């Protein structure tokens, strides 16, 4: 039965609620924790996710209704949003590079700036001339797998390996690779314990934890209370810890002409350039993100 027919029957039920009414009702509940614009956007995300109802469906079907069960589903999601749980965890999804990624509290929600990192790498590959070569790519701290899976889809002639320390994150990343029909080799390893890898790479990419503990005070509860802190935070005393280890690993795991690509904290662009230079990398460039912040570093050996 199509959605339209189901909704027609729902509209016939005595206890049905009009979608237009519910949209206003739940948006006003969300006003307790969100701005009116955010509240409206969130309600529409829930309608679309749970019932495939978007603005157009609503405009074309002013009589659209939800039955008791459907009402309860929306109510449950609204209550979760009122605890500041990010909507991406509530619906279990974020779109990244035009693909759907399943997310839960074991992984960071993919950010739009990280999409830019993927596009930089794709662009670099487009400049490579040897169409017959097979390129090896390593993603360190893969989380949801968003970088690894996107690169597997976007780069031809490439083999992608992805590392994470977290069992829960690797479960999510594997699920995302399967759902998006991407081939990625996943390895459970702690980058800080200097894992031995059985091959060398043309590209090593990482978006490691880079938010300093001292920056927590400026962050919103939806991030602090729900996203995995091990994927986000580093101690104020050693904010480049992960980058240092990765640059170290690159000494023996990067091919002679290979590149490393990092997402970075905008405060450490210059320190990162120094770190790369001091470890024998040349051609170090900093790139800004769409918010005009120093966000990515590329270094070539
Ligand atoms: N960009 C993320 C944030 O600001 C941080 C990602 C990271 O630590 N790697 O929340």
């Amino acid at each position: 039965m199509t959605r339209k027919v189901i909704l027609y029957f729902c509209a016939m039920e005595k206890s049905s609620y009009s979608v237009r009414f519910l949209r206003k009702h739940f948006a006003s509940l969300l006003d307790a924790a969100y701005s009116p614009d955010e509240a409206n956007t969130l309600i529409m995300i829930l309608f679309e996710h749970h019932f495939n109802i978007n603005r157009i469906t609503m405009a074309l079907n002013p009589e659209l209704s939800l039955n008791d069960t459907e009402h309860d589903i929306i109510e449950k999601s609204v209550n979760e949003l009122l605890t500041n749980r990010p909507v991406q965890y509530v619906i279990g999804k974020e779109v990244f590079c035009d693909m759907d990624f399943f997310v839960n509290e074991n992984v960071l929600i993919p950010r739009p700036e990280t999409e830019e990192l993927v596009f930089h790498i794709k662009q670099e590959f487009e400049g490579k001339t040897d169409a017959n070569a097979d390129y090896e790519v390593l993603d360190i701290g893969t989380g949801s797998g968003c970088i690894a899976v996107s690169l597997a889809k976007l780069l031809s002639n490439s083999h992608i390996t992805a590392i994470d320390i977290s069992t829960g994150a690797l479960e999510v990343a594997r699920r995302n690779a399967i759902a998006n029909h991407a081939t990625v080799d996943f390895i459970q390893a702690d980058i800080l314990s200097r894992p031995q890898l059985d091959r060398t790479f043309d590209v090593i990419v990482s978006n490691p934890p880079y938010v300093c503990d001292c920056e927590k005070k400026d962050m919103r509860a939806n991030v602090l209370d729900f996203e995995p802190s091990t994927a986000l935070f580093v101690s104020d005393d050693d904010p480049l810890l992960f980058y240092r280890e990765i640059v170290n690993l690159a000494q023996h795991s990067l091919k002679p002409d290979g590149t490393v690509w990092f997402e970075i904290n905008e405060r450490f662009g210059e320190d990162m350039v120094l770190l790369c230079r001091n470890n024998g990398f040349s051609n170090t460039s900093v790139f800004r993100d769409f918010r005009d912040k120093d966000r990515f570093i590329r270094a070539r050996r």
Side-chain angles (χ1 to χ4, degrees):
M1 208 190 285
T2 65
R3 171 80 225 158
K4 228 173 173 174
V5 179
I6 297 170
L7 290 168
Y8 176 75
F9 282 125
C10 295
M12 296 290 102
E13 284 177 24
K14 282 234 164 54
S15 64
S16 65
Y17 305 83
S18 105
V19 168
R20 293 166 80 156
F21 165 78
L22 289 177
R23 178 188 173 185
K24 282 209 183 96
H25 166 68
F26 284 124
S28 73
L29 292 183
L30 284 178
D31 281 350
Y34 299 89
S35 74
D37 277 353
E38 280 175 322
N40 269 313
T41 306
L42 289 168
I43 291 299
M44 289 315 300
I45 291 173
L46 296 183
F47 278 144
E48 172 119 42
H49 171 73
H50 289 303
F51 310 120
N52 214 9
I53 296 173
N54 58 28
R55 282 178 207 286
I56 298 168
T57 335
M58 277 178 72
L60 295 178
N61 305 278
E63 301 311 317
L64 221 54
S65 303
L66 300 187
N67 62 26
D68 285 346
T69 316
E70 291 171 323
H71 172 277
D72 292 349
I73 290 170
I74 291 279
E75 186 170 54
K76 181 169 173 282
S77 294
V78 166
N79 284 333
E80 287 178 37
L81 290 173
L82 284 170
T83 69
N84 285 317
R85 189 171 188 224
V87 68
Q88 294 91 339
Y89 292 147
V90 173
I91 66 172
K93 185 180 101 175
E94 176 62 305
V95 176
F96 184 88
C97 290
D98 288 332
M99 283 175 266
D100 283 355
F101 282 81
F102 168 72
V103 289
N104 64 21
E105 272 86 343
N106 290 317
V107 299
L108 211 62
I109 297 163
R111 306 287 203 266
E113 49 269 43
T114 308
E115 287 181 324
E116 292 185 76
L117 176 63
V118 169
F119 293 133
H120 277 299
I121 297 171
K122 177 173 157 45
Q123 217 165 34
E124 180 173 78
F125 267 71
E126 278 162 2
K128 288 186 190 280
T129 45
D130 190 353
N132 295 319
D134 270 334
Y135 294 105
E136 292 285 347
V137 179
L138 174 66
D139 173 27
I140 297 176
T142 196
S144 64
C146 62
I147 296 176
V149 170
S150 302
L151 289 177
K153 299 295 283 188
L154 291 171
L155 308 181
S156 44
N157 303 335
S158 300
H159 172 255
I160 319 285
T161 306
I163 293 181
D164 206 287
I165 187 178
S166 152
T167 311
L170 285 170
E171 274 167 20
V172 172
R174 283 204 173 91
R175 175 170 168 175
N176 283 324
I178 292 168
N180 288 300
H181 310 287
T183 306
V184 177
D185 277 341
F186 291 103
I187 298 173
Q188 185 163 26
D190 175 5
I191 192 65
L192 300 182
S193 65
R194 310 200 164 173
Q196 296 296 314
L197 300 166
D198 65 355
R199 62 189 73 195
T200 52
F201 299 90
D202 297 280
V203 171
I204 296 180
V205 54
S206 185
N207 173 22
Y210 63 64
V211 183
C212 293
D213 284 331
C214 67
E215 295 175 277
K216 279 183 186 165
K217 60 180 186 330
D218 303 319
M219 294 174 75
R220 291 178 59 158
N222 57 355
V223 176
L224 290 174
D225 296 349
F226 290 91
E227 295 203 74
S229 56
T230 47
L232 276 172
F233 297 110
V234 276
S235 121
D236 298 339
D237 304 332
D238 196 6
L240 302 186
L241 168 69
F242 288 96
Y243 299 96
R244 215 173 42 241
E245 286 299 328
I246 294 166
V247 164
N248 217 312
L249 174 127
Q251 302 295 334
H252 45 88
S253 294
L254 196 64
K255 291 185 189 172
D257 211 20
T259 48
V260 288
W261 279 94
F262 290 122
E263 186 175 316
I264 61 165
N265 186 324
E266 73 258 28
R267 299 163 61 199
F268 299 121
E270 282 176 26
D271 302 85
M272 281 299 302
V273 169
L274 277 179
L275 175 73
C276 293
R277 285 206 187 128
N278 292 341
N279 283 280
F281 285 83
S282 54
N283 269 321
T284 305
S285 322
V286 180
F287 297 83
R288 295 184 157 232
D289 66 11
F290 66 97
R291 296 188 179 93
D292 210 24
K293 306 263 174 102
D294 285 349
R295 186 63 64 205
F296 315 106
I297 290 262
R298 190 205 56 195
R300 187 185 295 280
R301 267 221 294 186

